[in-house]
Amino acid sequence: MRVVVQRVKHASVTINQEKKSSIQQGLLILLGISNDDSKEDADWLIKKCLNLRIFDDSEGVMNQSVTDIDGEVMVVSQFTLMASYKKGNRPSYIHAAPPEYSIPLYEYFCRKISDEMCKNIATGEFGADMKVDLLNDGPVTICMDTKNKE
């Protein structure tokens, strides 16, 4: 399971020229799910994402998490994060989990973050052609992969 976490001033998802969801200050999490990912992988990433100290404290030091600042979270599924690019120039997505496996895990990930934060989160729409608009704050962008836990 891979995520790209971006600290944002705001973010939104538009599908077919209609805004589906939006957030103000917080985290935009792009989530890629592979064939061998599990709920344990999701739990590990959720804990890491929600506890990342990437928001400024009163001294201007990145020392607070999204929960510390009562920020918002948006999770967008992105199978292209699982791209294999080792051979040739056309990425292969053979490691991306099929929808029947990845949709329940994506929904679990979103539900668990919402439960941990005790508030609703914003999402994209699995499998849709989405336009994601964001203002990356910093910029601060963190990539994490459950295959690199140690």
Side-chain angles (χ1 to χ4, degrees):
M1 192 173 281
R2 291 182 185 151
V3 292
V4 174
V5 180
Q6 297 181 73
R7 182 178 78 176
V8 298
K9 287 288 188 186
H10 59 80
S12 65
V13 171
T14 301
I15 303 168
N16 297 325
Q17 292 88 37
E18 192 172 311
K19 188 178 284 188
K20 181 190 185 313
S21 60
S22 63
I23 62 169
Q24 293 303 308
Q25 183 180 30
L27 299 178
L28 169 61
I29 301 172
L30 304 175
L31 175 65
I33 300 171
S34 72
N35 295 312
D36 59 351
D37 287 328
S38 65
K39 287 183 178 179
E40 290 76 24
D41 291 317
D43 292 340
W44 184 84
L45 273 176
I46 290 164
K47 184 176 180 181
K48 282 296 205 182
C49 289
L50 294 182
N51 291 298
L52 276 175
R53 296 182 350 186
I54 58 174
F55 292 90
D56 293 349
D57 63 16
S58 60
E59 306 292 316
V61 177
M62 285 196 289
N63 203 27
Q64 294 190 301
S65 69
V66 68
T67 54
D68 293 334
I69 66 157
D70 195 30
E72 297 183 274
V73 172
M74 175 181 284
V75 179
V76 175
S77 64
Q78 188 170 353
F79 78 94
T80 60
L81 288 177
M82 304 316 296
S84 175
Y85 46 83
K86 291 182 180 181
K87 204 163 123 179
N89 293 316
R90 183 170 186 220
S92 167
Y93 303 105
I94 194 166
H95 299 295
E100 59 272 10
Y101 185 79
S102 55
I103 290 173
L105 202 46
Y106 168 75
E107 290 172 347
Y108 173 83
F109 189 94
C110 294
R111 188 172 50 255
K112 186 91 184 248
I113 284 187
S114 182
D115 291 348
E116 292 286 324
M117 295 186 71
C118 298
K119 64 178 163 180
N120 291 330
I121 65 163
T123 63
E125 183 178 308
F126 195 95
D129 181 16
M130 297 175 276
K131 307 302 179 216
V132 180
D133 183 46
L134 65 126
L135 178 59
N136 191 318
D137 183 17
V140 175
T141 303
I142 310 286
C143 300
M144 290 185 275
D145 190 320
T146 55
K147 306 298 183 270
N148 300 320
K149 290 179 186 174
E150 272 86 76

